[in-house]
Amino acid sequence: MGEITPKENYLRLSRGELPDYLPMGFVQGVPSSSNVGFADLFVVKGATAFGVGKPAVPPMTEWTDKWGIPYVANEETNFAALPKPGAFLLDDVRKWDKVVKHPEMPERIDWEAMAAEATAHVDRSVTAVNALFSGQTPFQTFVAFMGFTEGLIALYEEPEACEEMINYIADFYMPIAEKSIEYIKPDILTISDDTASRQGPFFSMDIYRRIFKPVYERWAKPATDMGLPITFHNCGRCEDQLEDLYEIGVRYWNPAEAVNDLVEVKRKFNNRMVISGGWSFSPTPDISETDVREHVRATIDRLAPGGGYIFSGGLYMVGNREFTPEIIQKINGWISDEAYSYGKDFYK
């Protein structure tokens, strides 16, 4: 696969450089060829106050997160964790300070030991360490307190109160971000917030720039001060927000869903923003291996020329009712194998 390490091959993209071979990101159930190791200080032993609750996996379950928000995960939600309907904690954003309280922090945190545990599985000579903000999502946390409809209305009717509340939530994570960067010493920092549907953003760019962009910038700053690139996870058609994300240090964008005009994004950014994803294939259980492999190659041919692209795609194991686990594993194996074999000599 060339003389450079997978780590260097992956990080070249953050500098707008051409990789030796196509980096491959997430394919469900299949190891990545990019060698990006994930470290998360928020859910490791000794820091349970930072966790997001129980895993959202079968069987159907309910739990309360660190902010006191009740969540449910069941077959109807495809086992994705959603705020419990009818159990929202805040009905008037102007009274947020009576309801929203910072989670209790442990009296003593051994950051050095936590960082060592979080990165123990990583060979840093060949693997880029990606520090994750697991579950730290200002927009999603905000609407979880109020409900989606009431939260969106509040953003327009009471923007000052919303801004105060969201920054209060963000304040809790800021020292954690600083300590994470200091002790993990990652190569990349990942921030997540789903702020768009398949049709477009949930709110205007004015609200985005006033309320949410400054929070992302605060969280990114400990990393960007050290020259580290940022990965931003945002589902849906969120291409409108990419230029603002680039301004705060974001260089990788996932899952880069195909509802965005990815060819235009690639042209506009000219490898300044790495597209990680682009997968838009919805196979049937009886799909042929040939069809799967052809779609992988077509995706790579469309988005990989000139660099600035990471292949990510596949079928999820959970909530895919039409497929048996064996069929999903088989299809994902074809996807992974084709992306790897086709991508290893793509730039030669």
Side-chain angles (χ1 to χ4, degrees):
M1 299 240 317
E3 296 182 359
I4 68 170
T5 64
K7 172 180 178 176
E8 173 58 22
N9 192 63
Y10 193 92
L11 292 176
R12 277 187 178 185
L13 296 175
S14 69
R15 304 188 292 268
E17 300 171 2
L18 193 69
D20 265 16
Y21 51 89
L22 180 67
M24 192 171 73
F26 179 80
V27 178
Q28 180 77 14
V30 179
S32 167
S33 69
S34 301
N35 279 30
V36 178
F38 298 101
D40 189 346
L41 283 189
F42 304 108
V43 294
V44 298
K45 183 179 179 181
T48 54
F50 310 152
V52 294
K54 298 178 182 178
V57 296
M60 304 177 195
T61 186
E62 298 186 14
W63 65 90
T64 300
D65 79 351
K66 57 187 171 294
W67 295 94
I69 301 169
Y71 281 82
V72 295
N74 55 37
E75 189 175 4
E76 291 181 347
T77 70
N78 277 341
F79 298 103
L82 297 177
K84 187 175 182 179
F88 301 116
L89 304 182
L90 182 63
D91 59 9
D92 185 343
V93 74
R94 295 170 298 181
K95 300 176 182 177
W96 71 265
D97 57 333
K98 305 293 192 299
V99 176
V100 184
K101 304 297 180 184
H102 282 173
E104 184 177 350
M105 296 281 283
E107 291 185 6
R108 181 181 178 276
I109 302 174
D110 189 340
W111 293 100
E112 187 172 4
M114 289 169 59
E117 181 178 352
T119 59
H121 62 292
V122 177
D123 180 351
R124 300 188 75 131
S125 66
V126 297
T127 301
V129 174
N130 187 352
L132 297 173
F133 274 93
S134 176
Q136 325 323 321
T137 51
F139 171 71
Q140 291 174 266
T141 303
F142 171 72
V143 294
F145 269 108
M146 297 197 68
F148 213 86
T149 301
E150 295 301 319
L152 290 177
I153 292 172
L155 283 171
Y156 283 90
E157 292 188 344
E158 301 289 345
E160 291 184 2
C162 294
E163 185 176 6
E164 290 173 359
M165 175 179 163
I166 290 167
N167 273 279
Y168 177 82
I169 293 170
D171 288 343
F172 172 73
Y173 297 113
M174 197 62 212
I176 303 172
E178 294 167 346
K179 292 293 185 182
S180 298
I181 299 300
E182 179 182 353
Y183 286 92
I184 288 183
K185 297 180 173 60
D187 301 290
I188 306 164
L189 176 69
T190 289
I191 300 172
S192 302
D193 209 13
D194 290 333
T195 61
S197 71
R198 292 183 63 83
Q199 287 73 43
F202 292 126
F203 39 75
S204 70
M205 287 302 298
D206 287 342
I207 287 178
Y208 179 81
R209 289 172 176 144
R210 170 177 175 172
I211 298 177
F212 296 101
K213 180 181 176 181
V215 171
Y216 306 144
E217 187 170 19
R218 287 173 59 197
W219 286 351
K221 193 174 187 302
T224 56
D225 281 352
M226 296 180 62
L228 304 180
I230 307 298
T231 293
F232 201 97
H233 170 89
N234 197 350
C235 297
R237 200 199 69 77
C238 56
E239 60 186 281
D240 315 53
Q241 302 167 356
L242 293 181
E243 194 65 56
D244 289 78
L245 291 174
Y246 181 84
E247 291 174 1
I248 67 171
V250 174
R251 297 296 178 265
Y252 300 91
W253 165 44
N254 74 58
E257 293 187 302
V259 293
N260 298 274
D261 188 345
L262 298 180
V263 173
E264 174 60 18
V265 169
K266 186 175 177 68
R267 184 203 65 78
K268 176 182 176 181
F269 282 89
N270 192 26
N271 294 350
R272 292 182 301 133
M273 180 72 72
V274 180
I275 296 171
S276 179
W279 184 253
S280 61
F281 195 36
S282 298
T284 58
D286 60 351
I287 189 74
S288 72
E289 179 177 352
T290 298
D291 286 346
V292 171
R293 291 182 180 273
E294 285 181 353
H295 189 81
V296 171
R297 291 194 297 273
T299 302
I300 293 172
D301 287 343
R302 185 168 65 98
L303 296 172
Y309 178 64
I310 298 167
F311 179 85
S312 294
L315 294 177
Y316 285 94
M317 296 289 186
V318 174
N320 225 321
R321 303 174 193 174
E322 298 179 53
F323 298 81
T324 65
E326 293 76 19
I327 291 176
I328 292 175
Q329 187 174 14
K330 180 175 65 174
I331 292 175
N332 282 339
W334 294 337
I335 293 169
S336 174
D337 181 70
E338 189 61 33
Y340 178 86
S341 59
Y342 190 60
K344 66 184 176 67
D345 294 322
F346 190 85
Y347 296 111
K348 294 295 190 289

